[in-house]
Amino acid sequence: MGLASTPSSSAVLSTSLCTARRSSLPPSHGRRHHLRFLSTFRKCNLNCQKPSGKIRGQRVRCSAVEVENDIDDEACELVNGVELSIGEGDDNIQAFLFKAVKNNNGTGVLLLTDIFGFQDSATRDFAYQVACHGYNVLVPDLFRGDPWGKGRPKTMFEQWLASQDPKRVARDIETSTKWMVDEFTAAGLSKKLGIMGFCFGGGRVIDILAADEGGCFSTAVSFYGTRMDVSAASKVKVPVLFISGDNDPLCPVSVLNEFEKGIGRGSKVVIFKGRGHAFAHRPGSPEEDVDAEQAFTLMRTWLHDGLVVKS
């Protein structure tokens, strides 16, 4: 299907969130993973379950999205993953880090998941595809081991969602952000971060950017974000790429257009005609595969322009 888009203006950076208190890594994990951006992580299987405190698994390989001509198969194979425990005490959470090895561009992306959580195979597959293009991608467990299960009765959804305290989720995202900043600083790499999210995570991208006010994140991508607060748009200080379908009742096009106008700064809305919710990371047909690949290319270009070109 075709797509339509509308552009806006340019980004401003400030220093609000990054200058706040930083949480250090717990001894059992901090020493083990610190400064590893410049070396190779031990390999981890995409399907590993709850962490045992040790890094496990095997090298991940590219699959669904075709590797572009400038990224060869060998570079793509050198994407390593590690399951981490970050933060301390009540702020301790699990996360998964995908790290480009051969073609690492020294920038990081925080990926906020949909309701199915950080261990979901579609989300991890998308994350390592992003890493194939040179990024360090951190995927935190936003639901503390209690993501929405596909087998749960839909009548229980609102009850489950209410159990996910928004303040706790925001704090966990802040913990993840600070971990990335600490790692990048220690490794002498760029402190510039991008943030992206799907569905639930796509909505939280806006919340986080409004609180951050340009302090840590310099660009963002929101895929069909849900439950987004339009009043927060004026507080967002970086350009946001919004990707969605025109057949998605959970993310109305009219709402996205309001965000584009409210944020400005070069923000852009791209709408895929005939597409519903989650098509970009959970395509359900050959036709959706085509649009998912195009959405991925748009996202990749947006990240490159916002993180690599401007670094």
Side-chain angles (χ1 to χ4, degrees):
M1 290 290 179
L3 54 86
S5 64
T6 46
S8 291
S9 47
S10 84
V12 176
L13 299 180
S14 66
T15 54
S16 59
L17 184 61
C18 281
T19 54
R21 176 188 58 84
R22 290 184 175 180
S23 43
S24 58
L25 297 173
S28 61
H29 294 83
R31 296 190 186 98
R32 183 183 305 151
H33 302 306
H34 210 48
L35 298 173
R36 286 291 187 90
F37 282 111
L38 296 181
S39 62
T40 302
F41 281 105
R42 292 177 61 189
K43 308 166 188 75
C44 185
N45 193 307
L46 280 173
N47 298 316
C48 55
Q49 300 299 313
K50 292 186 178 180
S52 63
K54 297 181 179 179
I55 306 171
R56 304 161 295 175
Q58 62 187 37
R59 178 171 293 172
V60 298
R61 301 175 62 92
C62 285
S63 60
V65 173
E66 182 180 354
V67 180
E68 300 297 318
N69 291 333
D70 58 338
I71 306 293
D72 61 28
D73 289 335
E74 182 181 359
C76 196
E77 289 178 4
L78 288 175
V79 171
N80 288 336
V82 60
E83 194 157 353
L84 306 170
S85 177
I86 61 179
E88 292 183 319
D90 292 340
D91 291 332
N92 177 253
I93 61 171
Q94 304 303 312
F96 204 91
L97 177 69
F98 290 91
K99 171 184 171 288
V101 178
K102 180 177 179 179
N103 60 326
N104 197 305
N105 61 28
T107 62
V109 176
L110 182 62
L111 193 158
L112 307 182
T113 71
D114 61 15
I115 58 176
F116 300 110
F118 86 127
Q119 292 185 331
D120 177 76
S121 60
T123 295
R124 289 195 174 185
D125 185 55
F126 194 97
Y128 88 74
Q129 290 164 21
V130 175
C132 280
H133 290 84
Y135 298 93
N136 304 288
V137 184
L138 185 69
V139 188
D141 177 11
L142 300 181
F143 307 112
R144 298 288 185 102
D146 182 32
W148 177 252
K150 295 178 182 178
R152 292 188 184 185
K154 292 182 179 179
T155 54
M156 299 293 293
F157 179 76
E158 292 299 331
Q159 180 180 336
W160 169 82
L161 188 62
S163 71
Q164 306 297 331
D165 178 22
K167 292 183 179 179
R168 194 270 305 157
V169 172
R171 191 169 63 247
D172 288 351
I173 296 171
E174 183 178 349
T175 295
S176 302
T177 303
K178 290 176 179 177
W179 184 88
M180 294 190 80
V181 170
D182 285 344
E183 288 293 305
F184 275 53
T185 300
L189 298 178
S190 169
K191 298 179 184 177
K192 299 184 72 173
L193 300 178
I195 184 171
M196 71 169 68
F198 307 114
C199 314
F200 174 88
R204 306 296 67 74
V205 163
I206 301 303
D207 297 340
I208 296 305
L209 290 177
D212 178 55
E213 295 189 331
C216 292
F217 300 104
S218 58
T219 194
V221 182
S222 175
F223 288 92
Y224 25 78
T226 60
R227 303 177 188 244
M228 296 188 291
D229 180 7
V230 176
S231 67
S234 62
K235 297 179 182 178
V236 176
K237 305 301 182 184
V238 301
V240 181
L241 172 63
F242 294 93
I243 296 177
S244 191
D246 65 357
N247 191 27
D248 186 350
L250 298 178
C251 184
V253 175
S254 60
V255 171
L256 296 182
N257 289 335
E258 287 187 56
F259 271 105
E260 182 187 22
K261 293 176 182 177
I263 296 172
R265 307 181 186 282
S267 294
K268 187 176 183 179
V269 173
V270 178
I271 302 299
F272 284 80
K273 294 181 180 180
R275 294 294 163 245
H277 199 64
F279 76 92
H281 75 301
R282 298 180 187 279
S285 68
E287 293 76 20
E288 286 195 346
D289 281 339
V290 173
D291 284 352
E293 187 165 349
Q294 187 172 1
F296 185 91
T297 299
L298 289 168
M299 173 220 65
R300 188 194 67 214
T301 301
W302 188 269
L303 291 179
H304 182 266
D305 291 346
L307 294 176
V308 181
V309 173
K310 293 182 180 179
S311 62

